[in-house]
PDB file of all heavy atoms in Angstrom:
ATOM      1  N   LYS I  10      81.561-103.399 -97.984  1.00 97.00           N
ATOM      2  CA  LYS I  10      81.979-101.988 -98.090  1.00 97.00           C
ATOM      3  C   LYS I  10      81.553-101.188 -96.882  1.00 97.00           C
ATOM      4  O   LYS I  10      82.292-100.357 -96.382  1.00 97.00           O
ATOM      5  CB  LYS I  10      81.305-101.459 -99.348  1.00 97.00           C
ATOM      6  CG  LYS I  10      81.905-100.199 -99.960  1.00 97.00           C
ATOM      7  CD  LYS I  10      81.281 -99.987-101.374  1.00 97.00           C
ATOM      8  CE  LYS I  10      81.562 -98.664-101.980  1.00 97.00           C
ATOM      9  NZ  LYS I  10      80.929 -98.584-103.341  1.00 97.00           N
ATOM     10  N   PHE I  14      83.897 -99.230 -94.182  1.00 96.00           N
ATOM     11  CA  PHE I  14      83.647 -97.791 -93.983  1.00 96.00           C
ATOM     12  C   PHE I  14      83.654 -97.571 -92.480  1.00 96.00           C
ATOM     13  O   PHE I  14      84.212 -96.568 -92.028  1.00 96.00           O
ATOM     14  CB  PHE I  14      82.271 -97.490 -94.582  1.00 96.00           C
ATOM     15  CG  PHE I  14      81.891 -96.072 -94.370  1.00 96.00           C
ATOM     16  CD1 PHE I  14      82.114 -95.100 -95.330  1.00 96.00           C
ATOM     17  CD2 PHE I  14      81.205 -95.636 -93.276  1.00 96.00           C
ATOM     18  CE1 PHE I  14      81.778 -93.730 -95.206  1.00 96.00           C
ATOM     19  CE2 PHE I  14      80.799 -94.264 -93.043  1.00 96.00           C
ATOM     20  CZ  PHE I  14      81.125 -93.398 -94.003  1.00 96.00           C
ATOM     21  N   VAL I  17      87.465 -98.348 -90.680  1.00 95.00           N
ATOM     22  CA  VAL I  17      88.546 -97.389 -90.870  1.00 95.00           C
ATOM     23  C   VAL I  17      88.299 -96.110 -90.057  1.00 95.00           C
ATOM     24  O   VAL I  17      89.202 -95.370 -89.814  1.00 95.00           O
ATOM     25  CB  VAL I  17      88.843 -97.057 -92.404  1.00 95.00           C
ATOM     26  CG1 VAL I  17      89.268 -98.228 -93.151  1.00 95.00           C
ATOM     27  CG2 VAL I  17      87.609 -96.419 -93.028  1.00 95.00           C
ATOM     28  N   ARG I  18      87.018 -95.880 -89.773  1.00 93.00           N
ATOM     29  CA  ARG I  18      86.720 -94.621 -88.928  1.00 93.00           C
ATOM     30  C   ARG I  18      86.557 -94.987 -87.450  1.00 93.00           C
ATOM     31  O   ARG I  18      86.219 -94.137 -86.697  1.00 93.00           O
ATOM     32  CB  ARG I  18      85.455 -94.030 -89.432  1.00 93.00           C
ATOM     33  CG  ARG I  18      85.607 -93.263 -90.817  1.00 93.00           C
ATOM     34  CD  ARG I  18      84.330 -92.938 -91.453  1.00 93.00           C
ATOM     35  NE  ARG I  18      84.555 -92.273 -92.794  1.00 93.00           N
ATOM     36  CZ  ARG I  18      84.954 -92.997 -93.873  1.00 93.00           C
ATOM     37  NH1 ARG I  18      85.028 -94.328 -93.788  1.00 93.00           N
ATOM     38  NH2 ARG I  18      85.201 -92.308 -94.994  1.00 93.00           N
ATOM     39  N   LYS I  27      70.483-101.568 -81.555  1.00 98.00           N
ATOM     40  CA  LYS I  27      69.476-100.535 -81.235  1.00 98.00           C
ATOM     41  C   LYS I  27      69.741 -99.250 -82.021  1.00 98.00           C
ATOM     42  O   LYS I  27      68.791 -98.628 -82.580  1.00 98.00           O
ATOM     43  CB  LYS I  27      69.453-100.220 -79.724  1.00 98.00           C
ATOM     44  CG  LYS I  27      68.892-101.415 -78.871  1.00 98.00           C
ATOM     45  CD  LYS I  27      68.910-101.148 -77.379  1.00 98.00           C
ATOM     46  CE  LYS I  27      67.753-100.223 -77.013  1.00 98.00           C
ATOM     47  NZ  LYS I  27      67.257-100.452 -75.624  1.00 98.00           N
ATOM     48  N   LEU I  47      51.442 -85.769-100.865  1.00 96.00           N
ATOM     49  CA  LEU I  47      51.051 -86.011-102.232  1.00 96.00           C
ATOM     50  C   LEU I  47      49.666 -86.736-102.283  1.00 96.00           C
ATOM     51  O   LEU I  47      49.365 -87.564-101.451  1.00 96.00           O
ATOM     52  CB  LEU I  47      52.114 -86.865-102.908  1.00 96.00           C
ATOM     53  CG  LEU I  47      53.488 -86.345-102.902  1.00 96.00           C
ATOM     54  CD1 LEU I  47      54.351 -87.339-103.708  1.00 96.00           C
ATOM     55  CD2 LEU I  47      53.595 -84.969-103.477  1.00 96.00           C
ATOM     56  N   SER I  67      67.626 -91.204-103.061  1.00 98.00           N
ATOM     57  CA  SER I  67      68.572 -90.979-101.954  1.00 98.00           C
ATOM     58  C   SER I  67      67.980 -91.572-100.635  1.00 98.00           C
ATOM     59  O   SER I  67      68.747 -92.199 -99.837  1.00 98.00           O
ATOM     60  CB  SER I  67      68.794 -89.454-101.826  1.00 98.00           C
ATOM     61  OG  SER I  67      69.532 -89.212-100.695  1.00 98.00           O
ATOM     62  N   ASP I  71      69.452 -94.752 -98.426  1.00 98.00           N
ATOM     63  CA  ASP I  71      69.789 -94.642 -96.984  1.00 98.00           C
ATOM     64  C   ASP I  71      69.157 -95.767 -96.208  1.00 98.00           C
ATOM     65  O   ASP I  71      69.831 -96.381 -95.340  1.00 98.00           O
ATOM     66  CB  ASP I  71      69.347 -93.295 -96.439  1.00 98.00           C
ATOM     67  CG  ASP I  71      70.183 -92.141 -96.914  1.00 98.00           C
ATOM     68  OD1 ASP I  71      71.236 -92.304 -97.506  1.00 98.00           O
ATOM     69  OD2 ASP I  71      69.676 -90.952 -96.752  1.00 98.00           O
ATOM     70  N   LYS I  94      60.004-115.752 -95.814  1.00 96.00           N
ATOM     71  CA  LYS I  94      58.773-115.083 -95.424  1.00 96.00           C
ATOM     72  C   LYS I  94      57.812-115.056 -96.652  1.00 96.00           C
ATOM     73  O   LYS I  94      56.648-115.272 -96.467  1.00 96.00           O
ATOM     74  CB  LYS I  94      59.086-113.625 -94.977  1.00 96.00           C
ATOM     75  CG  LYS I  94      59.567-113.568 -93.579  1.00 96.00           C
ATOM     76  CD  LYS I  94      58.578-114.017 -92.476  1.00 96.00           C
ATOM     77  CE  LYS I  94      57.344-113.230 -92.367  1.00 96.00           C
ATOM     78  NZ  LYS I  94      57.303-112.284 -91.236  1.00 96.00           N
ATOM     79  N   ASP I  99      52.912-116.709 -99.445  1.00 93.00           N
ATOM     80  CA  ASP I  99      52.365-117.332-100.719  1.00 93.00           C
ATOM     81  C   ASP I  99      51.484-118.413-100.364  1.00 93.00           C
ATOM     82  O   ASP I  99      50.397-118.665-101.056  1.00 93.00           O
ATOM     83  CB  ASP I  99      53.533-117.802-101.561  1.00 93.00           C
ATOM     84  CG  ASP I  99      53.183-117.968-103.004  1.00 93.00           C
ATOM     85  OD1 ASP I  99      52.388-117.110-103.557  1.00 93.00           O
ATOM     86  OD2 ASP I  99      53.676-118.987-103.682  1.00 93.00           O
ATOM     87  N   TYR I 102      48.212-116.859 -98.106  1.00 92.00           N
ATOM     88  CA  TYR I 102      47.249-116.109 -98.853  1.00 92.00           C
ATOM     89  C   TYR I 102      46.995-116.833-100.198  1.00 92.00           C
ATOM     90  O   TYR I 102      47.537-116.393-101.273  1.00 92.00           O
ATOM     91  CB  TYR I 102      47.644-114.659 -99.106  1.00 92.00           C
ATOM     92  CG  TYR I 102      47.893-113.910 -97.793  1.00 92.00           C
ATOM     93  CD1 TYR I 102      49.180-113.653 -97.383  1.00 92.00           C
ATOM     94  CD2 TYR I 102      46.863-113.523 -96.961  1.00 92.00           C
ATOM     95  CE1 TYR I 102      49.389-112.979 -96.158  1.00 92.00           C
ATOM     96  CE2 TYR I 102      47.012-112.900 -95.794  1.00 92.00           C
ATOM     97  CZ  TYR I 102      48.296-112.653 -95.377  1.00 92.00           C
ATOM     98  OH  TYR I 102      48.516-111.999 -94.212  1.00 92.00           O
ATOM     99  N   ARG I 108      42.371-113.657-104.372  1.00 87.00           N
ATOM    100  CA  ARG I 108      42.444-112.859-105.547  1.00 87.00           C
ATOM    101  C   ARG I 108      41.456-111.736-105.611  1.00 87.00           C
ATOM    102  O   ARG I 108      40.201-111.955-105.448  1.00 87.00           O
ATOM    103  CB  ARG I 108      42.225-113.831-106.729  1.00 87.00           C
ATOM    104  CG  ARG I 108      42.427-113.072-108.072  1.00 87.00           C
ATOM    105  CD  ARG I 108      42.525-113.914-109.276  1.00 87.00           C
ATOM    106  NE  ARG I 108      42.437-113.103-110.434  1.00 87.00           N
ATOM    107  CZ  ARG I 108      43.489-112.443-110.932  1.00 87.00           C
ATOM    108  NH1 ARG I 108      44.630-112.570-110.422  1.00 87.00           N
ATOM    109  NH2 ARG I 108      43.340-111.657-111.985  1.00 87.00           N
ATOM    110  N   GLY I 109      41.898-110.536-105.825  1.00 75.00           N
ATOM    111  CA  GLY I 109      41.038-109.406-105.962  1.00 75.00           C
ATOM    112  C   GLY I 109      40.384-108.937-104.708  1.00 75.00           C
ATOM    113  O   GLY I 109      39.572-108.033-104.685  1.00 75.00           O
ATOM    114  N   PRO I 116      49.341-107.638 -97.678  1.00 60.00           N
ATOM    115  CA  PRO I 116      49.548-108.323 -98.945  1.00 60.00           C
ATOM    116  C   PRO I 116      50.920-108.971 -99.116  1.00 60.00           C
ATOM    117  O   PRO I 116      51.049-109.822 -99.960  1.00 60.00           O
ATOM    118  CB  PRO I 116      49.397-107.221 -99.929  1.00 60.00           C
ATOM    119  CG  PRO I 116      48.434-106.295 -99.267  1.00 60.00           C
ATOM    120  CD  PRO I 116      48.820-106.290 -97.825  1.00 60.00           C
TER     121      PRO I 116
ATOM    122  N   LYS K  10      59.763-111.981-107.986  1.00 97.00           N
ATOM    123  CA  LYS K  10      58.854-112.921-107.138  1.00 97.00           C
ATOM    124  C   LYS K  10      57.800-112.070-106.486  1.00 97.00           C
ATOM    125  O   LYS K  10      56.639-112.443-106.445  1.00 97.00           O
ATOM    126  CB  LYS K  10      59.742-113.603-106.187  1.00 97.00           C
ATOM    127  CG  LYS K  10      59.178-114.904-105.600  1.00 97.00           C
ATOM    128  CD  LYS K  10      60.281-115.598-104.801  1.00 97.00           C
ATOM    129  CE  LYS K  10      59.788-116.776-103.903  1.00 97.00           C
ATOM    130  NZ  LYS K  10      60.968-117.406-103.280  1.00 97.00           N
ATOM    131  N   PHE K  14      53.789-112.258-107.102  1.00 96.00           N
ATOM    132  CA  PHE K  14      52.921-112.489-105.909  1.00 96.00           C
ATOM    133  C   PHE K  14      51.777-111.455-105.930  1.00 96.00           C
ATOM    134  O   PHE K  14      50.586-111.918-105.684  1.00 96.00           O
ATOM    135  CB  PHE K  14      53.789-112.268-104.635  1.00 96.00           C
ATOM    136  CG  PHE K  14      52.980-112.410-103.370  1.00 96.00           C
ATOM    137  CD1 PHE K  14      52.998-113.707-102.716  1.00 96.00           C
ATOM    138  CD2 PHE K  14      52.340-111.421-102.781  1.00 96.00           C
ATOM    139  CE1 PHE K  14      52.327-113.864-101.548  1.00 96.00           C
ATOM    140  CE2 PHE K  14      51.636-111.639-101.602  1.00 96.00           C
ATOM    141  CZ  PHE K  14      51.621-112.886-100.999  1.00 96.00           C
ATOM    142  N   VAL K  17      49.250-112.145-109.307  1.00 95.00           N
ATOM    143  CA  VAL K  17      48.344-113.262-109.361  1.00 95.00           C
ATOM    144  C   VAL K  17      47.184-113.039-108.390  1.00 95.00           C
ATOM    145  O   VAL K  17      46.114-113.681-108.516  1.00 95.00           O
ATOM    146  CB  VAL K  17      49.021-114.609-109.037  1.00 95.00           C
ATOM    147  CG1 VAL K  17      50.015-114.939-110.237  1.00 95.00           C
ATOM    148  CG2 VAL K  17      49.708-114.644-107.741  1.00 95.00           C
ATOM    149  N   ARG K  18      47.369-112.150-107.406  1.00 93.00           N
ATOM    150  CA  ARG K  18      46.303-111.843-106.404  1.00 93.00           C
ATOM    151  C   ARG K  18      45.547-110.561-106.819  1.00 93.00           C
ATOM    152  O   ARG K  18      44.623-110.140-106.017  1.00 93.00           O
ATOM    153  CB  ARG K  18      46.856-111.742-105.016  1.00 93.00           C
ATOM    154  CG  ARG K  18      47.214-113.133-104.473  1.00 93.00           C
ATOM    155  CD  ARG K  18      48.204-113.047-103.239  1.00 93.00           C
ATOM    156  NE  ARG K  18      48.591-114.334-102.762  1.00 93.00           N
ATOM    157  CZ  ARG K  18      49.517-115.062-103.279  1.00 93.00           C
ATOM    158  NH1 ARG K  18      50.169-114.674-104.338  1.00 93.00           N
ATOM    159  NH2 ARG K  18      49.770-116.306-102.781  1.00 93.00           N
ATOM    160  N   LYS K  27      52.762 -94.559-101.463  1.00 98.00           N
ATOM    161  CA  LYS K  27      52.371 -94.185-100.077  1.00 98.00           C
ATOM    162  C   LYS K  27      52.114 -95.423 -99.215  1.00 98.00           C
ATOM    163  O   LYS K  27      52.555 -95.493 -98.125  1.00 98.00           O
ATOM    164  CB  LYS K  27      51.217 -93.240-100.075  1.00 98.00           C
ATOM    165  CG  LYS K  27      51.593 -91.871-100.642  1.00 98.00           C
ATOM    166  CD  LYS K  27      50.432 -90.858-100.659  1.00 98.00           C
ATOM    167  CE  LYS K  27      50.191 -90.328 -99.341  1.00 98.00           C
ATOM    168  NZ  LYS K  27      49.527 -88.986 -99.346  1.00 98.00           N
ATOM    169  N   LEU K  47      65.600-103.782 -74.362  1.00 96.00           N
ATOM    170  CA  LEU K  47      66.896-104.425 -74.085  1.00 96.00           C
ATOM    171  C   LEU K  47      67.981-103.409 -73.700  1.00 96.00           C
ATOM    172  O   LEU K  47      67.990-102.327 -74.232  1.00 96.00           O
ATOM    173  CB  LEU K  47      67.355-105.221 -75.336  1.00 96.00           C
ATOM    174  CG  LEU K  47      66.418-106.259 -75.930  1.00 96.00           C
ATOM    175  CD1 LEU K  47      67.118-107.000 -77.123  1.00 96.00           C
ATOM    176  CD2 LEU K  47      65.892-107.271 -74.894  1.00 96.00           C
ATOM    177  N   SER K  67      62.677-112.532 -88.979  1.00 98.00           N
ATOM    178  CA  SER K  67      61.369-112.323 -89.576  1.00 98.00           C
ATOM    179  C   SER K  67      61.145-110.861 -89.861  1.00 98.00           C
ATOM    180  O   SER K  67      60.645-110.424 -90.843  1.00 98.00           O
ATOM    181  CB  SER K  67      60.324-112.942 -88.728  1.00 98.00           C
ATOM    182  OG  SER K  67      59.052-112.729 -89.248  1.00 98.00           O
ATOM    183  N   HIS K  92      75.272 -97.690-103.141  1.00 96.00           N
ATOM    184  CA  HIS K  92      76.684 -97.501-103.416  1.00 96.00           C
ATOM    185  C   HIS K  92      76.980 -95.966-103.662  1.00 96.00           C
ATOM    186  O   HIS K  92      77.958 -95.441-103.214  1.00 96.00           O
ATOM    187  CB  HIS K  92      77.120 -98.294-104.695  1.00 96.00           C
ATOM    188  CG  HIS K  92      77.450 -99.742-104.350  1.00 96.00           C
ATOM    189  ND1 HIS K  92      78.490-100.126-103.564  1.00 96.00           N
ATOM    190  CD2 HIS K  92      76.803-100.887-104.610  1.00 96.00           C
ATOM    191  CE1 HIS K  92      78.507-101.425-103.406  1.00 96.00           C
ATOM    192  NE2 HIS K  92      77.449-101.926-103.993  1.00 96.00           N
ATOM    193  N   LYS K  94      75.367 -93.341-102.579  1.00 96.00           N
ATOM    194  CA  LYS K  94      75.364 -92.633-101.335  1.00 96.00           C
ATOM    195  C   LYS K  94      76.535 -92.919-100.418  1.00 96.00           C
ATOM    196  O   LYS K  94      77.071 -92.080 -99.774  1.00 96.00           O
ATOM    197  CB  LYS K  94      74.049 -92.976-100.512  1.00 96.00           C
ATOM    198  CG  LYS K  94      72.798 -92.269-100.973  1.00 96.00           C
ATOM    199  CD  LYS K  94      72.792 -90.767-100.802  1.00 96.00           C
ATOM    200  CE  LYS K  94      72.798 -90.278 -99.418  1.00 96.00           C
ATOM    201  NZ  LYS K  94      71.511 -89.874 -98.886  1.00 96.00           N
ATOM    202  N   ASP K  96      79.459 -93.941-101.312  1.00 95.00           N
ATOM    203  CA  ASP K  96      80.712 -93.358-101.848  1.00 95.00           C
ATOM    204  C   ASP K  96      80.791 -91.813-101.587  1.00 95.00           C
ATOM    205  O   ASP K  96      81.872 -91.311-101.254  1.00 95.00           O
ATOM    206  CB  ASP K  96      80.891 -93.561-103.412  1.00 95.00           C
ATOM    207  CG  ASP K  96      81.060 -95.033-103.706  1.00 95.00           C
ATOM    208  OD1 ASP K  96      81.388 -95.834-102.828  1.00 95.00           O
ATOM    209  OD2 ASP K  96      80.799 -95.405-104.846  1.00 95.00           O
ATOM    210  N   TYR K 102      83.018 -87.871 -95.055  1.00 92.00           N
ATOM    211  CA  TYR K 102      83.593 -88.143 -93.709  1.00 92.00           C
ATOM    212  C   TYR K 102      85.024 -88.659 -93.925  1.00 92.00           C
ATOM    213  O   TYR K 102      85.249 -89.883 -93.812  1.00 92.00           O
ATOM    214  CB  TYR K 102      82.741 -89.056 -92.980  1.00 92.00           C
ATOM    215  CG  TYR K 102      81.334 -88.554 -92.746  1.00 92.00           C
ATOM    216  CD1 TYR K 102      80.213 -89.046 -93.506  1.00 92.00           C
ATOM    217  CD2 TYR K 102      81.035 -87.462 -91.896  1.00 92.00           C
ATOM    218  CE1 TYR K 102      78.937 -88.563 -93.362  1.00 92.00           C
ATOM    219  CE2 TYR K 102      79.794 -86.994 -91.719  1.00 92.00           C
ATOM    220  CZ  TYR K 102      78.753 -87.527 -92.451  1.00 92.00           C
ATOM    221  OH  TYR K 102      77.446 -87.014 -92.327  1.00 92.00           O
ATOM    222  N   ARG K 108      88.139 -90.196 -87.896  1.00 87.00           N
ATOM    223  CA  ARG K 108      88.492 -91.403 -87.265  1.00 87.00           C
ATOM    224  C   ARG K 108      88.373 -91.374 -85.757  1.00 87.00           C
ATOM    225  O   ARG K 108      88.911 -90.510 -85.051  1.00 87.00           O
ATOM    226  CB  ARG K 108      89.901 -91.825 -87.555  1.00 87.00           C
ATOM    227  CG  ARG K 108      90.287 -93.205 -86.984  1.00 87.00           C
ATOM    228  CD  ARG K 108      91.581 -93.731 -87.453  1.00 87.00           C
ATOM    229  NE  ARG K 108      91.974 -94.857 -86.608  1.00 87.00           N
ATOM    230  CZ  ARG K 108      91.482 -96.120 -86.760  1.00 87.00           C
ATOM    231  NH1 ARG K 108      90.622 -96.353 -87.724  1.00 87.00           N
ATOM    232  NH2 ARG K 108      91.805 -97.072 -85.909  1.00 87.00           N
ATOM    233  N   GLY K 109      87.588 -92.238 -85.116  1.00 75.00           N
ATOM    234  CA  GLY K 109      87.452 -92.335 -83.695  1.00 75.00           C
ATOM    235  C   GLY K 109      86.651 -91.187 -83.047  1.00 75.00           C
ATOM    236  O   GLY K 109      86.505 -91.129 -81.852  1.00 75.00           O
ATOM    237  N   PRO K 116      76.962 -91.719 -89.194  1.00 60.00           N
ATOM    238  CA  PRO K 116      78.095 -92.473 -89.709  1.00 60.00           C
ATOM    239  C   PRO K 116      77.999 -93.147 -91.001  1.00 60.00           C
ATOM    240  O   PRO K 116      78.985 -93.501 -91.621  1.00 60.00           O
ATOM    241  CB  PRO K 116      78.240 -93.576 -88.627  1.00 60.00           C
ATOM    242  CG  PRO K 116      77.755 -92.940 -87.391  1.00 60.00           C
ATOM    243  CD  PRO K 116      76.538 -92.144 -87.909  1.00 60.00           C
TER     244      PRO K 116
END
Side-chain angles (χ1 to χ4, degrees):
Chain I
K10 200 169 168 179
F14 181 93
V17 296
R18 286 164 183 81
K27 292 180 77 151
L47 304 183
S67 176
D71 289 345
K94 281 295 296 256
D99 201 38
Y102 302 106
R108 183 170 169 80
Chain K
K10 199 168 168 180
F14 180 93
V17 296
R18 285 164 183 79
K27 292 180 75 152
L47 304 183
S67 176
H92 279 291
K94 281 296 295 259
D96 291 344
Y102 302 106
R108 184 171 167 80

